[in-house]
Amino acid sequence: MRRTKRFSMEQKKARWGWIFVTPSLVFFAVFSFYPIFNAFYLSFFRKNLLSLKPPAFIGFGNYTYLFSSPLFKESVVNTAIFTFGTFVPLLVLSLILAAFIMSRKRFQKFYQMVLYSPAALSSVVAAMIWLLIFDPRGLANQGLNLLFSTSGVNYHWLSNDTMLRLSTIIVYVWKYVGYFTVIFVAGIGAIPNTLHEAALIDGADRWQDFWHITFPLLKPTTLLVSVMAMIQCLKTFSTQYLFTTAGAPRQPINVLTLNIYYTAIKDHSIGRASAMSVLLFLVMLVFTWLQLRLSRTEEVTYM
Amino acid sequence: MKRLSCLLVLALVMSLSLGAHAAKVIEITYWTHTDDNRTAIENKYIAEFEKMYPDVKVKRVVNEASKMGDLVLTAFSANRGPDLFNLPIEQEYGYIMQNRVSPVDYAAIGYKNADALKADYMKGTFEAVTKGGKIYGLPLELTNWCIYINKKIFRSAGLDPEKDYPRTWEQMADISEKLVIRNGDIIMRRGFDFRYPYYLVSLLPMVEQLGGQLISDDGKKAIVNDQAWLKVLKFMKEWGPHGRNLGSPTYPAPRKIWNKDNNDMAMCLSGFYQQGRLRIDNPAFFDSKEWMVVPFPKFKDAVKDVACSYYGHFLMVNAQSSKDKQEMAWKLAQYMLSHPMEYLEVVNIIIPRKDMLSSKEFKANPYMDVFMGDMDRGHSVFLHENGYQFERFIGDAVQAVMLSNVSEQQALATLRQRIQEVLDEQ
């Protein structure tokens, strides 16, 4: 007697679910998980990228080298300066811009589109545009000279250590502020109007409404944006790379990703570069875990 | 039935023979960098080569010059490198040291041995690509840099370009001071400026002029002759915004803007190929005879007469390609390079073959005597497996003194420590 296997609706859904996610899983396995595991593996070896010889196992040799390397310390410090220097203005500006957009009755979508457009631009193109602006004869010097009523003062946007760091921060904030503004706009939009109306009936002005209603209820979004911005900043590469190839000094903006690139591609030391990548990965993992944990504890539900 | 079987067998034999023929086709992948003029003539040579060898198909892939090094490296690290490629010799050196390229197949290119090949080229051509008595590349170009001068700008500053051009670095700074135009601190016109990223080609010879070296002859000690290095670093500091403010790495590359003849760059450092680019970018200026080329200067108290180092691009063959591909790749390289005069006239690059170098047509090119004179005064660029790393460290030292106002002593101490660390690791 022939037995026909009957699947419940749940099982059928699960089967179709697997069918749909399998291509993505395969893609991630090949292009993300495999390189991650390979980087972990290679970080314990000394390996020249060009050499045909098998890699030599050196245990934690690459890690101990990195912790005593002044160049690595320099790039950790540069990454920290860039990350904190960028994510604070990104967070504050995007929140202000989102509040401004939501306060407008018309052209909300237009403002969002204008602010978001730099995020759609390639990082290379963005850096090229800003290189022209920061050129000693460019708009940045002209603008500041006009503002301070001076003539011919060179603010050394691409050569002075502090100004160079500031330049990379400006490029990044300009590029991503629109992206995070859109997230804040969505967060503000999710707050029920009834809460604002109740506050207004109770006599709150717009400022009080923002500080006592909008801002506290935006906490999960703020946490999400701050962690996302921080992770994004840790991965910065193109701006620093293009600025250094255009003649800016490397030392003040030698962030971790730039150090990884030079170590692997220019110095062919793939084991050491992998160890750096693993350390960067672990830092980002901590931030991601933090994001998930905080977003769970700070969840807001509107009944 | 019998007839049908015969037909089937015949069809099978025919398809097998066709398959065997198809399998015989050798496909050569050739990776090179962008250069429209060179692409035009090389495509022509490739078509001719494919006619000569009908079983060979050549796939010429053009990559952006700035990305070429990274692309070839990643392809080789994945064991998928092209059969034939070219890169600057500073990059190719690592491929030779790591046995990733095959020695020249002398028989395939019509030579008896290495000596016979060397005899056809300028002395020293193959030094950079020779290991264990074997030659690993054929020269696509050999380049050195001299000083290009815009005569009009010289005259506008009251200078006679024919008489007043800089012979020493000290004169270079003084003449640049006369030529420079500033709006406050901002330089609107530069007299001269360096080619900053290329410290091994143009800055190391300045150190050598004063008796210094990057590493000792035995390869164990970093920085030879501190005084020479300190003097060069001091010179660069004086050149930058914290000194006489004559130039800086953050201004646009001089070589690119010099061609425009926009009264913003009087002198630049470049190779013979600059003339080909000038002819295309600004034919009026090219034909005006308002430019000239003079030798690479030296310091007033130089102990050695060293010009700018020459570097080259060599055609190399992947050691992991099959033997028949290697043989055909060498034949193709040799066929393309057997037209040195066309490369000179169309692309403005010098393939240092003796027959061309001694020809009247070659010598008739503008300022060729200056370039060849400096070639004699100079030597091949410094080569080391960690050469790029060293160049970056020199760059950091120069930028530290020029832009961050770090003392020469401190910059040199950091440079020495970084290079020594790499040497000790080896």
Side-chain angles (χ1 to χ4, degrees), chain B residues 347-366:
Chain B
V347 198
N348 277 85
I349 57 175
I350 301 170
I351 297 173
R353 283 174 63 120
K354 277 181 184 167
D355 51 352
M356 187 191 71
L357 299 182
S358 57
S359 69
K360 275 184 190 170
E361 294 90 333
F362 177 78
K363 288 176 181 166
N365 279 288

Side-chain angles (χ1 to χ4, degrees), chain A residues 46 48-53 65 69-71 74 135-137 141-142 145 151-156 158-161 241 244-252 259 261-268 272, chain B residues 66 69-70 72-74 76-77 79 91 94-95 98-100 183-190 197 241 248-252 257 264 320 385-386 388-389 392-393 396 399-400 403-404 417-418 421 425:
Chain A
R46 178 179 288 129
N48 183 311
L49 203 53
L50 264 183
S51 175
L52 286 169
K53 288 179 196 162
Y65 168 83
S69 159
L71 262 178
E74 177 189 287
D135 180 280
R137 291 173 289 185
N141 272 341
Q142 288 175 24
N145 277 316
S151 171
V153 176
N154 188 355
Y155 290 91
H156 297 286
L158 295 175
S159 50
N160 175 280
D161 291 7
Y241 174 72
T244 50
T245 50
R250 192 169 58 103
Q251 184 267 326
N259 199 351
Y261 167 78
Y262 277 116
T263 308
I265 303 296
K266 300 293 178 194
D267 307 341
H268 303 171
R272 199 166 283 170
Chain B
S66 57
D70 293 2
V72 174
L73 177 75
T74 40
F76 266 90
S77 65
N79 296 321
Q91 287 179 27
Y95 291 76
Q98 296 295 341
N99 303 314
R100 300 307 302 262
N183 170 21
D185 301 334
I186 301 168
I187 303 173
M188 308 308 284
R189 180 175 85 183
R190 280 175 288 174
S248 153
T250 54
Y251 282 92
I257 56 172
D264 51 8
Q320 285 180 307
E385 256 204 277
N386 299 89
Y388 269 120
Q389 207 170 359
R392 221 164 57 238
F393 294 156
D396 288 345
Q399 287 169 341
L403 306 175
S404 306
Q417 178 251 317
R418 285 179 173 181
E421 187 186 308
E425 258 198 345

Side-chain angles (χ1 to χ4, degrees), chain A residues 6-250:
Chain A
R6 297 181 73 85
F7 291 103
S8 68
M9 187 60 88
E10 279 301 306
Q11 281 173 319
K12 273 183 186 169
K13 274 186 180 174
R15 200 173 51 175
W16 276 106
W18 275 108
I19 290 170
F20 283 125
V21 298
T22 301
S24 304
L25 281 177
V26 170
F27 184 86
F28 274 109
V30 174
F31 294 105
S32 290
F33 300 142
Y34 169 70
I36 290 170
F37 290 126
N38 204 24
F40 267 97
Y41 174 76
L42 277 175
S43 71
F44 297 109
F45 291 85
R46 178 179 288 129
K47 165 80 179 151
N48 183 311
L49 203 53
L50 264 183
S51 175
L52 286 169
K53 288 179 196 162
F57 181 74
I58 54 166
F60 286 95
N62 285 323
Y63 292 96
T64 49
Y65 168 83
L66 289 178
F67 289 121
S68 62
S69 159
L71 262 178
F72 179 70
K73 280 177 197 155
E74 177 189 287
S75 52
V76 169
V77 170
N78 285 330
T79 307
I81 291 172
F82 177 81
T83 304
F84 289 102
T86 308
F87 112 92
V88 174
L90 254 183
L91 195 71
V92 175
L93 269 176
S94 48
L95 180 59
I96 292 170
L97 288 167
F100 167 77
I101 288 171
M102 292 307 279
S103 70
R104 301 293 96 185
K105 286 196 171 66
R106 297 173 67 193
F107 303 121
Q108 283 193 359
K109 292 284 174 206
F110 173 75
Y111 287 127
Q112 285 184 55
M113 195 184 72
V114 168
L115 282 169
Y116 187 82
S117 56
L121 210 63
S122 126
S123 302
V124 178
V125 175
M128 298 305 281
I129 293 168
W130 282 95
L131 273 173
L132 290 174
I133 294 171
F134 291 138
D135 180 280
R137 291 173 289 185
L139 281 175
N141 272 341
Q142 288 175 24
L144 285 190
N145 277 316
L146 190 74
L147 193 70
F148 299 126
S149 301
T150 51
S151 171
V153 176
N154 188 355
Y155 290 91
H156 297 286
W157 291 94
L158 295 175
S159 50
N160 175 280
D161 291 7
T162 313
M163 292 303 281
L164 181 56
R165 284 182 178 133
L166 181 65
S167 305
T168 54
I169 289 170
I170 289 172
V171 176
Y172 222 72
V173 170
W174 169 80
K175 189 158 167 38
Y176 289 106
V177 73
Y179 175 75
F180 293 112
T181 302
V182 171
I183 297 177
F184 270 125
V185 165
I188 295 173
I191 300 171
N193 251 342
T194 47
L195 293 174
H196 297 296
E197 285 163 7
L200 291 173
I201 290 165
D202 288 346
D205 59 22
R206 283 193 174 278
W207 186 244
Q208 284 170 324
D209 175 47
F210 179 79
W211 273 118
H212 299 291
I213 304 291
T214 311
F215 192 64
L217 292 175
L218 265 183
K219 211 172 171 187
T221 315
T222 312
L223 277 170
L224 175 80
V225 166
S226 57
V227 177
M228 273 175 76
M230 211 173 255
I231 291 171
Q232 187 83 4
C233 294
L234 285 168
K235 293 194 294 182
T236 180
F237 173 75
S238 315
T239 313
Q240 284 79 0
Y241 174 72
L242 283 156
F243 276 27
T244 50
T245 50
R250 192 169 58 103

Side-chain angles (χ1 to χ4, degrees), chain B residues 296-308:
Chain B
F296 189 76
K298 59 179 181 179
F299 281 102
K300 202 165 65 182
D301 52 352
V303 293
K304 264 189 203 172
D305 184 17
V306 185
C308 203

Side-chain angles (χ1 to χ4, degrees), chain B residues 145-149 151 154 161-167 172 192 267-270 291-297 367 369-371 374 377:
Chain B
W145 299 339
C146 294
I147 310 288
Y148 279 78
I149 292 179
K151 294 184 193 177
F154 261 62
E162 306 290 346
K163 286 183 192 162
D164 298 330
Y165 72 82
R167 275 96 171 161
M172 179 62 96
F192 170 80
M267 292 180 274
C268 74
L269 192 57
S270 194
W291 57 274
M292 59 188 267
V293 182
V294 298
F296 189 76
Y367 302 104
D369 54 329
V370 178
F371 285 102
D374 264 16
R377 286 171 59 210

